[in-house]
Amino acid sequence: MEQQKIGIVQPQQTDLGADELAAVEKLQKAYHDLRAELGKVIVGQEAVIEELLIALFCRGHALLVGVPGLAKTLLISTLARTLGLSFSRIQFTPDLMPSDITGTEVIEEDKTTGGRQLRFVRGPVFANVILADEINRTPPKTQAALLEAMQEHQVTAGGKQHRLPQPFFVLATQNPIEQEGTYPLPEAQLDRFMFNINVGYPSEDEEFQIVRLTTQSLKVELKHILSGEEVMQLQEIVRKVPVADHVIRYALQFSRLTRKTEGGNIPDFVSEYVSWGAGPRASQYLILAGKARALLKGRYHVSTEDIRQVALPVLRHRIVTNFNAEAEGIKSDTIVRRLIDFIPRQQYDEMDASMAKLLRDQPAA
């Protein structure tokens, strides 16, 4: 553990001026308005909606994992409608080809000159919000067609690069119970998803509301809460949120303590149950998600509590458990929860309190 090296809390300076502070207030209002609009269609799933919106404002992609019938597809399409963004649904099947996603070049004849030339016909990936439905049902070659789009926000065809519209999000779904005839995503592609969001069963009261609302004639009118340009502006605001060094150190421990290469520092349960740990991208996403969560909760700085709250969706698909864990029914979520309990909190909580007081005492800009 590196607690002795942390030192006094010193939050990074932020460039939030009057315009940015107004944009922060707009983000908080948009968050509550989006939840209200989604609530017209989606019953419950409060944690899922919050995590999905955090990924949205962090410019990240998300993987939603849940059994059929839990409104994963409906949630994503409804979110696209409330944002006024273009939306494409791609149903992944075993016979889907990469060109069915990215597009293809066709020979086009000029009727006036008789000449022929290649023209690129854009595929469904050229939209702001992409729903990759049941992404594990297509072979790796087709899954990999999304890699360049997710990382570089572009598609290369015929040696030419075609930029994707901005903002751009890939929201994929998976069914965790029916694995026969599926192609699990490789770790390199899983790592491109900022969040792995578990979509669970509704409570009895929520299921009552679902049945009551969906078995009657009901037409829902949704409002456009944000435009694409406004979403990109708010994404920039998220990155300007100040983060103290001790919060970064705290987030780093979640990634570094999952790696066996750290030697004697790692806990026994990691040595026993983890095959491969999380990489540096996990640390980056923990901080980014913490920034977005802090803003959505009405704060202008990140606390260690923010890191704890986003640890599960960031880390659950980046920790590879071994045979011992499988034999004992230990999942990656269990490892993350044990890490939350393993890393001492008292020193960090005191630093959070000192940082919050320091920021409160600063004169207004």
Side-chain angles (χ1 to χ4, degrees):
M1 309 295 287
E2 301 181 357
Q3 293 182 3
Q4 294 81 4
K5 302 179 182 178
I6 297 172
I8 300 173
V9 176
Q10 287 294 339
Q12 299 171 352
Q13 293 299 316
T14 176
D15 298 325
L16 291 179
D19 293 341
E20 285 81 5
L21 289 173
V24 168
E25 294 178 0
K26 182 178 181 179
L27 184 146
Q28 293 169 5
K29 182 179 184 302
Y31 169 66
H32 294 293
D33 290 345
L34 282 169
R35 293 193 71 148
E37 289 300 303
L38 292 172
K40 294 179 180 179
V41 178
I42 305 297
V43 177
Q45 305 292 4
E46 299 292 330
V48 173
I49 292 174
E50 179 176 303
E51 291 171 2
L52 192 59
L53 293 178
I54 288 175
L56 169 78
F57 291 124
C58 289
R59 204 180 298 152
H61 311 292
L63 179 66
L64 282 75
V65 180
V67 299
L70 296 182
K72 299 185 296 295
T73 301
L74 179 62
L75 172 59
I76 295 169
S77 61
T78 304
L79 177 63
R81 288 165 60 193
T82 57
L83 294 174
L85 301 176
S86 58
F87 171 73
S88 285
R89 174 183 175 178
I90 306 173
Q91 185 65 50
F92 281 73
T93 58
D95 60 346
L96 194 72
M97 298 296 291
S99 58
D100 295 330
I101 298 174
T102 60
T104 187
E105 289 190 320
V106 298
I107 298 176
E108 188 173 64
E109 182 177 353
D110 190 329
K111 294 183 179 180
T112 58
T113 63
R116 296 182 178 181
Q117 60 181 3
L118 289 173
R119 180 173 67 87
F120 180 69
V121 178
R122 295 184 170 191
V125 77
F126 285 85
N128 296 118
V129 179
I130 306 299
L131 168 56
D133 214 358
E134 293 190 288
I135 192 172
N136 58 336
R137 293 210 167 276
T138 200
K141 181 179 181 180
T142 305
Q143 291 174 352
L146 276 178
L147 272 174
E148 184 184 13
M150 293 172 66
Q151 189 67 26
E152 310 296 338
H153 290 195
Q154 68 181 25
V155 167
T156 302
K160 295 182 180 179
Q161 295 175 344
H162 304 272
R163 300 296 300 176
L164 295 169
Q166 298 300 314
F168 178 75
F169 308 100
V170 173
L171 305 174
T173 68
Q174 274 191 186
N175 175 4
I177 58 174
E178 190 180 355
Q179 297 301 318
E180 185 175 349
T182 61
Y183 305 85
L185 288 172
E187 278 68 27
Q189 187 156 7
L190 278 174
D191 202 41
R192 262 63 175 189
F193 287 100
M194 177 180 184
F195 275 178
N196 181 333
I197 302 174
N198 271 353
V199 184
Y201 287 111
S203 66
E204 183 176 352
D205 289 340
E206 290 170 348
E207 191 163 355
F208 174 84
Q209 291 293 334
I210 291 169
V211 173
R212 188 172 64 86
L213 292 174
T214 57
T215 54
Q216 62 182 351
S217 178
L218 182 65
K219 186 176 182 180
V220 177
E221 295 292 337
L222 295 174
K223 301 176 184 176
H224 284 181
I225 305 301
L226 293 172
S227 66
E229 292 76 13
E230 290 171 325
V231 170
M232 289 189 288
Q233 290 171 4
L234 296 177
Q235 289 170 344
E236 290 299 321
I237 295 299
V238 166
R239 292 177 177 264
K240 292 183 178 181
V241 175
V243 183
D245 288 346
H246 79 275
V247 178
I248 297 177
R249 293 282 185 188
Y250 183 75
L252 284 177
Q253 291 187 62
F254 279 92
S255 301
R256 299 187 67 82
L257 289 178
T258 63
R259 305 170 193 162
K260 293 185 177 181
T261 54
E262 294 302 302
N265 291 330
I266 64 173
D268 293 339
F269 59 85
V270 170
S271 301
E272 186 175 358
Y273 297 122
V274 175
S275 176
W276 293 98
R281 192 177 275 122
S283 304
Q284 294 171 332
Y285 282 151
L286 282 170
I287 294 299
L288 274 176
K291 288 184 174 189
R293 185 182 186 275
L295 285 184
L296 298 182
K297 298 301 179 182
R299 287 180 282 105
Y300 305 112
H301 66 278
V302 184
S303 70
T304 53
E305 177 61 23
D306 294 317
I307 304 302
R308 287 191 286 272
Q309 291 298 321
V310 300
L312 276 170
V314 169
L315 292 170
R316 63 165 50 107
H317 57 303
R318 293 183 165 89
I319 296 175
V320 182
T321 53
N322 58 22
F323 176 78
N324 292 335
E326 184 176 353
E328 297 185 29
I330 305 254
K331 305 293 184 183
S332 58
D333 280 23
T334 307
I335 303 296
V336 178
R337 290 192 181 98
R338 289 191 182 183
L339 278 175
I340 292 174
D341 294 333
F342 178 81
I343 302 172
R345 294 190 192 182
Q346 182 177 359
Q347 181 183 8
Y348 291 104
D349 289 343
E350 291 172 356
M351 289 180 174
D352 283 342
S354 300
M355 180 178 65
K357 183 178 184 302
L358 182 62
L359 292 174
R360 282 196 306 269
D361 294 342
Q362 285 180 351

